[in-house]
Amino acid sequence: QTVVTQEPSLTVSPGGTVTLTCASSTGAVTSGYYPNWFQQKPGQAPRALIFSTNNKHFWTPARFSGSLLGGKAALTLSDVQPEDEADYYCLLYYSDSHLGVFGGGTKLTVL
Amino acid sequence: EVQLVESGGGLIQPGGSLRVSCAASGFTVSRNYMSWVRQAPGKGLEWVSVIYSDGSGGSTYYADSVKGRFTISRDSSKNTLYLQMNSLRADDTAVYYCARRRVNSYGPLDFDFWGQGTLVTVSS
């Protein structure tokens, strides 16, 4: 069974920078996994932030960026704002099985 | 304006069946890849199923946890996506979201728009 791993929780100060990562139990994450990142606030549906590794939707704030880092997918938040406090999920696509697997999510606290 | 509205959730006994719907507006369901994602209470997101566009053959794929029990489908005349859920278990209790893949994107699961979700509770 494929497992996608994220940091369970991270804390960042307002105005700071934080990087969230997303690892696959099958090995290094590459662009072929089309990593996606989503933000979810309590009581709300998820909101798409990043698709196919590093592409932003038109509504994605410029302070959010996606990349590949050390064999993992990464989401970097710069100049963090209080409203960025939320759960963040990555999603990887496994082309051999045509299946998607979400990471367990990272709870980001802005303090 | 793209909108996705789920419905059909409710309380169902273990072993029962239920069909949830996702009514789409602002785009054509059959021309897009569509997925179902669920979230158990207090837990993370779980990808459930995808149906490819007509132009990509309409293939369907399922997470191992639901394979053989759930069926994804669509009705072009109603522009609606469905998830038929059979042999339901307590661990299928979750909010079920539908999500659309971004038009002209490379990744099959490059979601852009999500619905607000519908709660399915499996309990006796």
Side-chain angles (χ1 to χ4, degrees), chain A residues 36 40 45 51-52 93 99-100, chain B residues 39 45 47 52 62 102 110 115:
Chain A
N36 275 246
Q40 187 179 36
F51 65 95
S52 290
Y93 171 72
L99 303 183
Chain B
Q39 187 170 34
L45 301 173
W47 177 83
Y52 286 3
Y62 301 89
R102 187 178 178 276
D110 284 350

Side-chain angles (χ1 to χ4, degrees), chain B:
Chain B
E1 180 191 5
V2 171
Q3 278 198 319
L4 296 168
V5 179
E6 297 94 337
S7 61
L11 176 63
I12 186 78
Q13 290 190 339
S17 297
L18 193 67
R19 189 181 75 166
V20 292
S21 304
C22 170
S25 57
F27 73 99
T28 302
V29 165
S30 62
R31 295 180 184 172
N32 287 264
Y33 289 32
M34 299 292 297
S35 280
W36 286 98
V37 174
R38 68 184 181 181
Q39 187 170 34
K43 303 296 185 182
L45 301 173
E46 180 185 12
W47 177 83
V48 172
S49 180
V50 63
I51 184 167
Y52 286 3
S53 64
D54 277 350
S56 294
S59 300
T60 59
Y61 299 96
Y62 301 89
D64 290 346
S65 58
V66 306
K67 195 171 185 178
R69 301 188 298 124
F70 289 13
T71 302
I72 190 172
S73 65
R74 59 186 173 225
D75 184 331
S76 297
S77 66
K78 296 181 179 179
N79 207 34
T80 298
L81 177 75
Y82 299 103
L83 186 68
Q84 175 68 44
M85 301 181 289
N86 299 329
S87 303
L88 282 161
R89 313 184 301 223
D91 63 358
D92 293 317
T93 295
V95 173
Y96 285 75
Y97 297 101
C98 60
R100 186 190 82 158
R101 188 192 80 160
R102 187 178 178 276
V103 176
N104 294 327
S105 200
Y106 289 110
L109 304 181
D110 284 350
F111 301 149
D112 53 6
F113 291 95
W114 293 64
Q116 85 291 347
T118 186
L119 176 62
V120 173
T121 303
V122 184
S123 175
S124 54

